[in-house]
Amino acid sequence: MKRPYNFSAGPAALPETVLQRAAAEMLDWQGSGMSVMEMSHRGKHFSQICDEAEADLRELLAIPDDYAALFMQGGGLAENAIVPMNLIGLREAQAADFVLSGSWAVKSYKEARRYGNVAVAATAEQATEINGVQQAPWTYMPDPSTWKVRPESSYLHICSNETIGGVEFPDWPDLASLGAPDTVLSIDASSHILSRPMDVTRAGVVFAGAQKNIGPAGLTIVIVRKDLLGKALPICPSAFDYAIVAENDSRYNTPPTYAIYIAGLVFKWLKEQGGLAGMEALNTAKARALYDYIDSSSFYRNPVEPSVRSRMNVPFILHDDALNAAFLKEADAAGLLQLKGHKSVGGMRASIYNAMPMEGIQALIAFMKSFEQSHG
Ligand SMILES: *Cc1c(COP(=O)(O)O)cnc(C)c1O
């Protein structure tokens, strides 16, 4: 049986071989007589699973020893509170600055306002002209040279891939060059972590919910510089205090054990695919093929400024909204699932994370062409 191609933004498709392996090990993990779900999180079997997952994650992202790699719960939205509770008190001003690049960064900003002195460093909420083209709000990245980072701020927050708008930071900025050498970067990388190599040493903290590009919902990955730990606000729950989670090897309380196991299988799969350099080459080719086709057509359109188009989430609109329902129905019948765009943007969105093969992109383009022919 051939499975359909699943373009969900999240929870998203997983590699088929990972699902097959998990199915084969469901009742009895490697002769233990137990499903992974039935194991003590402190026992030797799960310790092996968890330690290997952490080691593979560290290898994939080249995470150095002075950074902790934590398995937590709460998802991206909980991190919007957990990051300020842990890091806003790093410096006396208890301040943090935010680059508003789309709905996820805006959510992070609004949540953090409950914990300290929070300001906007830059925003893409206004329409603007870039290279002679009028860009709608939230379809571009504010030029880093214009960001206002307060030198007394504990951290600057960015969302490095806006899952809804389809806007991706090609690179992370250097805060010393923005006049804030003692401020660290906080990065929400939920929807593009592991899609390409990333230099985590340029950030104080990088977090990501697992359900886009790693594994099942319920697991959150946090990579944080160890010398920033231990300054959590008194109101921070101990289960969310990075220092406590790190001291206890992500097992202070019961972690999402099955989600960690699946993530571990995905990490091994990524290593077989040539690691993150291999994924970047594939993801770049996938995104280029899809954007090239969209740009060549007058039936479909992607509104994002070309230099910051996401390689993971590709929103596109049809020239006539009245065709949206027919597009989705016929796509479904053709084995192309979950293409509906987010309600705030409309139209369609193809999320093409690591688990989407090039054949899925080719099938989508072929379907889009034939839909254009029959409805154009
Ligand atoms: C999906 C997503 C989130 C929200 O994650 P939850 O696990 O639902 O809390 C946060 N940030 C980004 C960039 C996302 O794509």
Side-chain angles (χ1 to χ4, degrees):
M1 187 196 84
K2 191 172 162 309
R3 301 181 84 223
Y5 294 113
N6 181 352
F7 294 89
S8 172
L14 286 167
E16 193 167 331
T17 53
V18 165
L19 296 176
Q20 281 161 347
R21 166 112 183 246
E25 293 180 339
M26 177 60 77
L27 297 184
D28 179 7
W29 182 80
Q30 300 192 4
S32 65
M34 294 178 276
S35 170
V36 174
M37 273 178 274
E38 303 170 309
M39 293 173 178
S40 162
H41 61 295
R42 302 190 194 284
K44 69 171 181 183
H45 298 302
F46 184 72
S47 292
Q48 184 190 329
I49 290 169
C50 195
D51 293 347
E52 262 180 45
E54 184 186 330
D56 287 335
L57 176 66
R58 284 183 173 278
E59 185 183 329
L60 284 164
L61 275 168
I63 303 172
D65 287 343
D66 57 335
Y67 278 72
L70 309 177
F71 297 132
M72 297 182 66
Q73 305 190 50
L77 286 196
E79 286 303 321
N80 288 344
I82 295 170
V83 169
M85 283 194 288
N86 276 278
L87 301 185
I88 208 163
L90 276 176
R91 309 195 42 219
E92 215 180 321
Q94 303 217 347
D97 298 329
F98 287 71
V99 175
L100 306 186
S101 49
S103 24
W104 290 113
V106 168
K107 281 202 169 96
S108 300
Y109 163 70
K110 287 187 174 159
E111 185 77 12
R113 284 194 298 199
R114 303 158 64 151
Y115 300 99
N117 170 353
V118 163
V120 174
T123 176
E125 70 190 311
Q126 285 100 23
T128 193
E129 197 184 294
I130 299 177
N131 297 326
V133 178
Q134 191 66 15
Q135 290 297 144
W138 312 122
T139 65
Y140 65 96
M141 194 57 75
D143 180 351
S145 67
T146 67
W147 297 1
K148 292 190 177 53
V149 187
R150 295 171 294 173
E152 70 273 21
S153 286
S154 296
Y155 65 89
L156 172 75
H157 178 87
I158 63 176
C159 174
S160 52
N161 185 64
E162 286 284 356
T163 321
I164 294 174
V167 176
E168 183 172 9
F169 266 95
D171 206 358
W172 299 341
D174 169 25
L175 294 187
S177 74
L178 292 174
D182 300 323
T183 303
V184 299
L185 270 177
S186 156
I187 299 179
D188 177 357
S190 291
S191 50
H192 75 160
I193 193 165
L194 301 178
S195 68
R196 57 178 166 96
M198 290 175 184
D199 183 2
V200 299
T201 66
R202 295 181 55 189
V205 63
V206 180
F207 68 82
Q211 71 271 27
K212 312 287 168 53
N213 212 15
I214 297 175
L219 168 64
T220 316
I221 306 270
V222 176
I223 300 158
V224 60
R225 219 171 75 198
K226 286 179 184 166
D227 67 337
L228 306 178
L229 304 185
K231 295 250 180 72
L233 301 179
I235 51 161
C236 183
S238 34
F240 288 156
D241 183 326
Y242 294 151
I244 294 176
V245 178
E247 265 161 41
N248 289 279
D249 293 326
S250 297
R251 275 154 280 177
Y252 171 68
N253 67 329
T254 315
T257 53
Y258 197 76
I260 292 170
Y261 157 70
I262 298 285
L265 296 182
V266 170
F267 299 154
K268 294 208 184 298
W269 175 81
L270 284 170
K271 286 166 66 176
E272 289 159 19
Q273 311 303 305
L276 301 193
M279 285 324 302
E280 177 170 44
L282 176 62
N283 287 329
T284 305
K286 282 156 50 185
R288 186 176 304 136
L290 186 51
Y291 285 116
D292 280 354
Y293 168 64
I294 292 170
D295 287 346
S296 73
S297 139
S298 52
F299 192 88
Y300 304 102
R301 197 172 83 83
N302 169 279
V304 178
E305 199 271 307
S307 71
V308 294
R309 283 174 165 180
S310 171
R311 285 180 271 185
M312 296 281 99
N313 308 98
V314 182
F316 59 92
I317 46 177
L318 278 55
H319 79 104
D320 178 1
D321 271 346
L323 292 170
N324 287 351
F327 183 94
L328 289 167
K329 188 164 171 244
E330 291 178 33
D332 230 66
L336 306 168
L337 308 183
Q338 309 205 71
L339 281 161
K340 192 174 195 310
H342 190 272
K343 58 184 183 302
S344 63
V345 175
M348 307 299 149
R349 170 175 49 172
S351 293
I352 53 175
Y353 300 118
N354 287 344
M356 176 61 63
M358 184 55 114
E359 295 74 44
I361 306 295
Q362 285 156 351
L364 175 61
I365 294 171
F367 169 78
M368 289 168 74
K369 281 184 182 160
S370 95
F371 188 85
E372 174 172 358
Q373 272 158 17
S374 52
H375 295 83

